[in-house]
Amino acid sequence: MTFEGVRPVLHLPFADTPEQPIIEDELAGLAERMLDQGVDGLAVPQLASEAWTLTDAERERVIAIAAEVCAERAPLIVGLDGTTAVAVHRARQAAAAGAAGLMVLPPRQATSPDQLVRHYVAVADAADLPVMVQDSPQVTGVRLDVDTLARMREAHPLVLAVKSEIPGAGAKASAIHASGLELVAGWGGLHYLEQLARGAVGCFPGCDLGPAIKAIDLAARAGREDEAQARYRRILPYLSLATASLDLLLLTAKRHLRRSGVFSTEVLRAPARTLDRRESQTVDALLDELSAAGVPGF
């Protein structure tokens, strides 16, 4: 398996009640909707899934729901984080649940390249599944240089890819590709066409933009550059707003899913902020424009 293609990260619907339980039928419905709209696979739980808010039991249930929808239809990539002991445990659980690969955040506790290399080797050994390193320093505080990433690749044959979530890090993306690792775009798909030009094999956006990014990907890979650019420019105002912060990435996606009838709420797990009145008006206007333009998924 490789990490090629457009594989959206599933957002999680939470009930608007004090306990905020996951609304399981809406999660399954979102997964079905993404596959029906032609994406290449799914990923959960990760940053776009508010994974840090989940109990261990909820993590297992979310993965099980996604795995059931994906079974014999598309690969499921399971996201995980934590110390080496926690990550190894979660990697084994993901393999048992039917994951096709892992997307692994670096542990915040690691202070040296050697520790990072040992961590990823342990995870790959435990699961015996392909591993993608998630490079998201603006969220994790962990900075991964290309030499360390290349060492991970050399240290274990299953460390195959890097998901680059650093807006504007074009030179690093090219260096990742040149190192022999698969380059995968993240952060909502911002600058995806540039990432493709630098060798990206795919993208893991949120579910709001999954179908639209897939259409861009198809056009670009077929050599229809003008169409790909036009499709990308159409989503850029919305994408620019959404990728301004992780909160906005989540809030804009959930507002779209609630407006579309996929989710019945748009709340994030507490404690979390909401869109204020002006932000809500701006997001709604952008969503209306995307819908009127017939952008896939809107």
Side-chain angles (χ1 to χ4, degrees), residues 13-143:
F14 298 115
D16 196 5
T17 61
E19 296 80 15
Q20 292 189 296
I22 298 167
I23 307 173
E24 294 189 358
D25 61 332
E26 293 182 4
L27 173 58
L30 174 61
E32 294 277 4
R33 175 186 174 96
M34 288 295 102
L35 295 185
D36 289 345
Q37 293 187 350
V39 302
D40 301 297
L42 298 173
V44 78
Q46 253 303 328
L47 296 176
S49 315
E50 301 167 72
W52 65 94
T53 71
L54 303 180
T55 67
D56 288 343
E58 286 174 329
R59 278 184 56 89
E60 292 181 38
R61 184 64 187 142
V62 163
I63 293 167
I65 291 169
E68 183 176 356
V69 174
C70 285
E72 300 182 8
R73 293 188 65 186
L76 174 66
I77 307 304
V78 171
L80 56 91
D81 61 357
T83 63
T84 301
V86 171
V88 162
H89 174 68
R90 290 178 172 175
R92 288 177 177 143
Q93 285 182 318
L102 304 175
M103 177 165 49
V104 184
L105 282 164
R108 296 174 183 269
Q109 298 85 355
T111 58
S112 72
D114 287 346
Q115 290 176 329
L116 287 163
V117 171
R118 287 196 296 269
H119 178 83
Y120 279 92
V121 167
V123 170
D125 275 341
D128 196 29
L129 290 173
V131 171
M132 177 168 64
V133 181
Q134 187 171 7
D135 186 15
S136 187
Q138 67 272 38
V139 175
T140 64
V142 179
R143 300 199 173 275

Side-chain angles (χ1 to χ4, degrees), residues 14-296:
F14 298 115
D16 196 5
T17 61
E19 296 80 15
Q20 292 189 296
I22 298 167
I23 307 173
E24 294 189 358
D25 61 332
E26 293 182 4
L27 173 58
L30 174 61
E32 294 277 4
R33 175 186 174 96
M34 288 295 102
L35 295 185
D36 289 345
Q37 293 187 350
V39 302
D40 301 297
L42 298 173
V44 78
Q46 253 303 328
L47 296 176
S49 315
E50 301 167 72
W52 65 94
T53 71
L54 303 180
T55 67
D56 288 343
E58 286 174 329
R59 278 184 56 89
E60 292 181 38
R61 184 64 187 142
V62 163
I63 293 167
I65 291 169
E68 183 176 356
V69 174
C70 285
E72 300 182 8
R73 293 188 65 186
L76 174 66
I77 307 304
V78 171
L80 56 91
D81 61 357
T83 63
T84 301
V86 171
V88 162
H89 174 68
R90 290 178 172 175
R92 288 177 177 143
Q93 285 182 318
L102 304 175
M103 177 165 49
V104 184
L105 282 164
R108 296 174 183 269
Q109 298 85 355
T111 58
S112 72
D114 287 346
Q115 290 176 329
L116 287 163
V117 171
R118 287 196 296 269
H119 178 83
Y120 279 92
V121 167
V123 170
D125 275 341
D128 196 29
L129 290 173
V131 171
M132 177 168 64
V133 181
Q134 187 171 7
D135 186 15
S136 187
Q138 67 272 38
V139 175
T140 64
V142 179
R143 300 199 173 275
L144 299 170
D145 59 54
V146 177
D147 287 344
T148 300
L149 293 168
R151 282 184 57 192
M152 293 176 189
R153 178 72 183 95
E154 293 167 0
H156 202 290
L158 286 175
V159 180
L160 299 180
V162 176
K163 182 185 179 189
S164 177
E165 307 224 63
I166 310 172
K172 184 175 183 180
S174 292
I176 289 169
H177 174 64
S179 76
L181 285 154
E182 290 184 355
L183 173 65
V184 176
W187 207 244
L190 187 65
H191 307 312
Y192 183 46
L193 289 176
E194 181 188 351
Q195 295 281 295
L196 280 176
R198 292 181 182 274
V201 299
C203 183
F204 282 50
C207 288
D208 50 340
L209 285 165
I213 297 289
K214 178 61 182 176
I216 292 168
D217 183 79
L218 286 171
R221 294 186 186 282
R224 302 193 302 273
E225 293 296 331
D226 289 347
E227 177 189 339
Q229 289 286 350
R231 287 185 178 277
Y232 180 75
R233 286 194 295 271
R234 202 167 291 146
I235 66 171
L236 188 54
Y238 173 82
L239 184 56
S240 298
L241 173 65
T243 55
S245 70
L246 181 57
D247 280 350
L248 283 170
L249 202 71
L250 298 168
L251 289 164
T252 52
K254 286 196 170 184
R255 189 165 187 88
H256 164 57
L257 294 170
R258 197 269 302 161
R259 282 176 34 127
S260 302
V262 182
F263 285 1
S264 58
T265 79
E266 56 188 78
V267 297
L268 308 187
R269 265 240 168 120
R273 80 176 188 89
T274 60
L275 295 172
D276 66 20
R277 185 176 64 86
R278 172 56 62 187
E279 287 173 325
S280 296
Q281 291 173 342
T282 300
V283 173
D284 285 345
L286 291 170
L287 292 172
D288 287 342
E289 290 176 7
L290 293 172
S291 177
V295 173

